[in-house]
Amino acid sequence: MADTNPHILIVDDDERIRGLLQKFLIHNGFLASVARDAAQARRLLQGLDFDLIVLDVMMPGEDGITLTQDLRKTMDCPILLLTAKGEAQDRIAGFEAGADDYLPKPFEPKELLLRIGAILRRMPQPEASQNLPKLLHLGAMRFDIDRGELWQGDQPFRLTATEAALMRIFATHVNSSVTRQQLVEELGRDKMAGGAPAQERAIDVQITRLRRKIEADPKQPRYLQTVRGAGYMLVPD
């Protein structure tokens, strides 16, 4: 994160909610910009850099899920979805689209603040230039643990904040299995609504997305392996 206060983009078609969230975040030390729909959000994203996007799912025109899917093609800015739907399948759809977290409406403003803080803490932090990077080699891919970056040759592969956090967790447990519950806890999602089954299913979705980026054949993973009855294990070269 930059030395300046984190800049949050709030995207919601409800003018009252936009205004309240903007005032609340500014009061708590953030910079905050607002957009009334996906089209206005795209215009702002073309000219400004944001540290996180708070995005309503149910909007007229392009909804939040569709916008998240499209943004993930070109950017890795963390996305927190706001949704009136609390069912597990709706949360899973958000994670599959590339969101880093979700918050069902109605919510307490303080919980939103805690979720934003947790996401920003998972973001890769810049390292001092004199520190040599630690690398994990995964076939043609390499993961820079210090920077939380995935590369193939000179080409970077975009990781969401959650994907980078997962890779760092696995990097501390190389060649050892990590349970889904461990991943939930280390990602700071142990207080998420929906209970353990929904939380662990969300982890499975994130693993599937990560495999698409590091595996030649995601359906037959070589590096991010499933350990039956025990969770997952990262096996680098």
Side-chain angles (χ1 to χ4, degrees), residues 208 211-222 224:
T208 297
R211 280 173 170 163
R212 291 174 187 158
K213 297 182 179 181
I214 68 174
E215 300 283 358
D217 183 357
K219 294 183 178 179
Q220 297 184 9
R222 155 68 178 84
L224 187 46

Side-chain angles (χ1 to χ4, degrees), residues 50 144 168 173 176 191 208 230:
F50 293 93
D144 185 325
R168 280 177 158 159
H173 301 279
S176 299
K191 294 181 173 61
T208 297

Side-chain angles (χ1 to χ4, degrees), residues 80-167:
L80 170 62
L81 292 178
L82 302 179
T83 173
K85 299 180 178 180
E87 292 81 3
Q89 61 267 28
D90 297 307
R91 297 195 297 270
I92 296 304
F95 287 128
E96 288 179 332
D100 292 275
D101 205 349
Y102 72 92
L103 187 57
K105 293 179 177 180
F107 55 85
E108 290 292 331
K110 186 174 181 180
E111 183 175 6
L112 174 65
L113 201 63
L114 292 172
R115 296 293 184 97
I116 289 174
I119 293 173
L120 293 178
R121 284 194 298 273
R122 296 201 298 266
M123 286 296 292
Q125 299 297 311
E127 298 290 329
S129 59
Q130 65 267 28
N131 291 343
L132 294 176
K134 300 176 182 177
L135 301 178
L136 287 178
H137 293 277
L138 311 163
M141 313 295 293
R142 70 182 187 278
F143 178 69
D144 185 325
I145 299 171
D146 287 338
R147 297 182 179 276
E149 296 173 346
L150 183 67
W151 294 80
Q152 182 176 29
D154 294 330
Q155 296 299 315
F157 272 65
R158 294 183 181 275
L159 294 177
T160 66
T162 300
E163 290 165 352
L166 278 172
M167 286 296 295

Side-chain angles (χ1 to χ4, degrees), residues 178-222:
V178 184
T179 67
R180 291 174 176 84
Q181 186 56 38
Q182 280 180 271
L183 294 173
V184 168
E185 292 171 358
E186 293 201 41
L187 286 173
R189 290 197 170 128
D190 53 317
K191 294 181 173 61
M192 284 169 53
Q199 295 167 11
E200 293 181 10
R201 170 60 181 144
I203 291 294
D204 292 339
V205 171
Q206 297 287 358
I207 294 293
T208 297
R209 290 180 53 83
L210 190 52
R211 280 173 170 163
R212 291 174 187 158
K213 297 182 179 181
I214 68 174
E215 300 283 358
D217 183 357
K219 294 183 178 179
Q220 297 184 9
R222 155 68 178 84

Side-chain angles (χ1 to χ4, degrees), residues 3-15:
D3 293 335
T4 58
N5 294 351
H7 193 177
I8 311 295
L9 174 61
I10 304 160
V11 188
D12 197 304
D13 63 302
D14 188 314
E15 183 177 2

